[in-house]
Amino acid sequence: MTNPTTNGPLTGVRVLDVSTVYAGPLACQLLGDFGADVIKIEHPRLGDPMRTHGRVKDGQGLWWKMVARNKRTIGLYLGDPDGAEVFCDLVRRSDIVVENFRPGTLDRWGVGYDRLKQVNPDVVLVRVTGFGQEGPYAARPAFGTLAEAMSGFAAMTGQADGPPTLPPFGLADGIAGISAAYAAILALYHRDARGGSGQQVDLAILEPLLTVLGPQPTTYDQLGEVPQRHGNRSENNAPRNTYRTRDGRWVAVSASTTVVAARVMELVGAAEFVDEPWFASGAERARHADLIDGRVAAWVAERGLAEVAEAFEKADAPIAVVYDVADLMADPQVRAREMITSVDDPDLGPLRMQNLLFRMADTPGAIRHTGRAIGADTDAVLAEAGVDPARVAALRERGVVA
């Protein structure tokens, strides 16, 4: 058995992950990265859809290797009454359960929150769904894409004369996953540091994304304004855009303060703009973005990437090369901080993936192993829960466990 302990701040916390693509599994990955003993429960025959989500090499799902890292895996069918009872055995010895079934599913299986609370009054149940546990949309099927559409994100993303644009990755799910991990820790703090008990956390994927999009509702409420698409520009400042160099590379420039904007203008030979009355306001600069962008784009287009980057650095003006993943993994800052780390995998050998989300000096956490095979830890985990081996064998014969 893989040792579930480490020097992370969540050492000693046990998490049951009964969630699937993608927010719930990410939340549990983050908890496991910082020491929690995460037990991934999946269908004994079908496994978790994350196993084949995204690219596959030699039959191994590459996303699974990352999102299931630090998780012990068991095959257990909760829809069978005997499987539900085994699940309750696990809940008795656990701190957090993370699930993302449609509302009512756990209750139909006999393991809803009321039942889990009877089994373990201290358990924290984190429920991640598209629209939450109540309301007229609660029972609808939902993925992060729907949240990206409904939140206003897609409506304000893309070129002004183009269609609403969805992200090419799980943005809403990713933000919801980080939020779900945060919520779980808050619930544990209430329980353990404030003398509280376990509780249910209701997280709708739509809500965290809505939060990070800023003051749209307040602006609409007070001014009646609806954000429009502006491409890579911002309504709040300029210059803020991407620009192409003479050698065909793209760079991103952001001047969020007037001081920085002035440095950029002086660098590109447009110092006269700084004395204009409109230049002192970010919003006013944004209204003059055509003028500002024209000067920045022309200056950048006359120079190669190396010259552009060096000049911006000397001017103390923020700039970044628009990377693809190959560029990112070769970057000296990324390498120096080990943002990408290598983990030994029994199927694929050394496997590079994102490192931990942040650095903690005294309780850093660790990546102890990559995503494991279905049922790799079933016998060990159920033995820890006090389930008799003969009972496990009988359930395995019936296909309830793997």
Side-chain angles (χ1 to χ4, degrees), residues 105-390:
T105 301
L106 291 186
D107 295 283
R108 189 170 68 250
W109 289 342
V111 288
Y113 180 62
D114 289 343
R115 170 66 173 143
L116 299 187
K117 187 166 58 173
Q118 290 176 350
V119 169
N120 180 358
D122 289 331
V123 75
V124 172
L125 176 62
V126 180
R127 318 191 78 166
V128 183
T129 57
F131 302 111
Q133 297 294 313
E134 57 189 18
Y137 299 169
R140 289 185 179 182
F143 293 97
T145 298
L146 277 64
E148 289 148 8
M150 293 179 62
S151 64
F153 172 86
M156 63 188 295
T157 303
Q159 297 300 321
D161 57 352
T165 302
L166 296 167
F169 63 98
L171 176 66
D173 277 293
I175 295 172
I178 296 172
S179 301
Y182 169 57
I185 298 305
L186 290 181
L188 283 189
Y189 180 80
H190 166 75
R191 187 193 74 178
D192 296 342
R194 296 297 178 89
S197 61
Q199 63 180 292
Q200 184 174 203
V201 176
D202 178 5
L203 188 151
I205 293 174
L206 177 61
E207 291 165 354
L209 180 57
L210 185 60
T211 296
V212 303
L213 287 178
Q216 288 187 66
T218 305
T219 301
Y220 177 73
D221 174 66
Q222 296 297 306
L223 302 177
E225 294 179 0
V226 176
Q228 303 299 308
R229 292 187 289 283
H230 299 283
N232 291 319
R233 289 179 174 176
S234 168
E235 289 185 312
N236 302 314
N237 61 77
R240 196 268 195 179
N241 212 327
T242 57
Y243 309 92
R244 194 172 190 178
T245 66
R246 185 180 60 201
D247 47 359
R249 299 299 302 271
W250 288 91
V251 295
V253 174
S254 178
S256 296
T257 68
T258 301
V259 171
V260 172
R263 292 176 192 157
V264 175
M265 292 301 95
E266 291 166 2
L267 173 64
V268 303
E272 68 274 14
F273 291 171
V274 178
D275 296 325
E276 294 289 342
W278 50 262
F279 194 84
S281 164
E284 286 298 317
R285 289 198 305 275
R287 293 187 181 97
H288 291 78
D290 285 344
L291 183 64
I292 291 173
D293 274 347
R295 296 293 288 271
V296 177
W299 186 90
V300 170
E302 293 173 353
R303 292 160 176 83
L305 175 61
E307 182 182 353
V308 170
E310 182 180 2
F312 267 76
E313 184 175 353
K314 286 182 178 179
D316 199 20
I319 191 171
V321 182
V322 177
Y323 280 170
D324 60 23
V325 67
D327 298 321
L328 173 77
M329 293 175 72
D331 182 84
Q333 179 68 18
V334 173
R335 288 176 175 269
R337 284 186 58 84
E338 297 185 17
M339 296 181 195
I340 306 297
T341 190
S342 182
V343 186
D344 287 331
D345 179 78
D347 302 303
L348 300 174
L351 194 63
R352 289 196 288 174
M353 62 179 64
Q354 294 94 322
N355 209 334
L356 274 60
L357 193 59
F358 42 81
R359 312 291 187 265
M360 299 184 71
D362 296 330
T363 52
I367 302 174
R368 304 180 295 282
H369 59 79
T370 56
R372 294 160 67 79
I374 297 176
D377 304 285
T378 297
D379 290 336
V381 169
L382 296 187
E384 293 168 11
V387 182
D388 184 78

